[in-house]
Amino acid sequence: MKFTFACKKISLNDSIKEYAEKKISKLDKYFPEEADAFVTFAVEKKNRCVVELTIRAANGTLFRAQTEDPDGDMRCAIDEAVSFIDRRIRKNKTRLAKNLRPDALVSTVPAEFDVVEDNDFDIIRTKRFSVKPMTTDEAVLQMNLLGHSFYVFRNIDNNVICVVYHRNNGGYGLIETEE
């Protein structure tokens, strides 16, 4: 696994980074090819340690976890992030193996981030990304893997742009566009 570390408002010694590499490397067993791990360390108010872990598999699948330890222990936050992703992978492993096409879970990381200024609606950031064709079930799975509340995709059945989302009262919703 390839590691990229970033630190916000903190400088870490090598022992923390080595500890993170050791713990995150345990997730290698789930990825047949080499994956990329992006780890961001931060310290927020009242000495809270925050770890954001993003793993990008070779097929484009993303796994994200953001954990914090209120006691100020960075190692505990790392452990929690790794166990969160481990649980998420194990929970969805059967679905990923049985129900999906190999190219179903493609990367949807935005290619660009543009800041829009002087707008009446205060749009802070615009994201652009490619919309990949997939089934509704695949889109719901990808949304859950990313931990997002909605997901934009192109429906493979009718080639229409759609959005799946978490409903407040439970379950999922689907929005289909008309052309």
Side-chain angles (χ1 to χ4, degrees):
M1 191 170 294
K2 295 179 189 173
F3 293 93
T4 304
F5 296 104
C7 299
K8 295 180 181 176
K9 301 180 186 177
I10 188 173
S11 61
L12 293 177
N13 56 20
D14 289 337
S15 67
I16 297 288
K17 292 178 183 177
E18 289 171 6
Y19 182 83
E21 283 184 21
K22 178 182 172 187
K23 290 294 185 174
I24 297 168
S25 292
K26 292 180 180 180
L27 298 174
D28 268 338
K29 62 186 174 186
Y30 295 117
F31 305 106
E33 297 177 23
E34 189 165 317
D36 297 322
F38 303 95
V39 187
T40 303
F41 302 102
V43 174
E44 293 183 354
K45 299 176 191 173
K46 299 181 184 177
N47 204 25
R48 282 189 336 208
C49 292
V50 178
V51 172
E52 183 178 321
L53 172 60
T54 304
I55 297 177
R56 181 180 296 162
N59 67 353
T61 306
L62 290 175
F63 298 94
R64 282 191 60 231
Q66 182 173 348
T67 59
E68 60 183 56
D69 185 63
D71 298 329
D73 188 0
M74 195 64 76
R75 286 180 170 86
C76 287
I78 293 167
D79 292 340
E80 197 174 320
V82 170
S83 66
F84 179 84
I85 289 181
D86 184 52
R87 284 190 311 271
R88 184 169 277 176
I89 291 172
R90 283 188 283 122
K91 177 181 174 184
N92 291 298
K93 189 170 184 181
T94 305
R95 275 185 181 163
L96 290 168
K98 289 184 179 179
N99 297 337
L100 301 181
R101 300 183 325 267
D103 62 339
L105 299 175
V106 294
S107 176
T108 58
V109 176
E112 300 178 20
F113 291 99
D114 295 329
V115 177
V116 179
E117 297 179 14
D118 296 324
N119 195 330
D120 293 340
F121 296 107
D122 294 330
I123 295 175
I124 297 172
R125 180 171 58 190
T126 300
K127 295 183 179 182
R128 289 186 178 90
F129 56 94
S130 59
V131 180
K132 302 296 180 184
M134 59 180 63
T135 66
T136 304
D137 291 339
E138 293 166 348
V140 169
L141 180 61
Q142 184 66 38
M143 176 183 64
N144 289 336
L145 290 173
L146 290 171
H148 291 171
S149 58
F150 69 94
Y151 189 79
V152 179
F153 69 103
R154 182 176 298 278
N155 193 326
I156 201 166
D157 298 329
N158 54 15
N159 206 30
V160 171
I161 300 292
C162 299
V163 177
V164 290
Y165 61 94
H166 286 284
R167 293 183 48 87
N168 290 337
N169 60 352
Y172 301 98
L174 174 67
I175 300 172
E176 292 183 337
T177 59
E178 293 180 357
E179 293 184 27

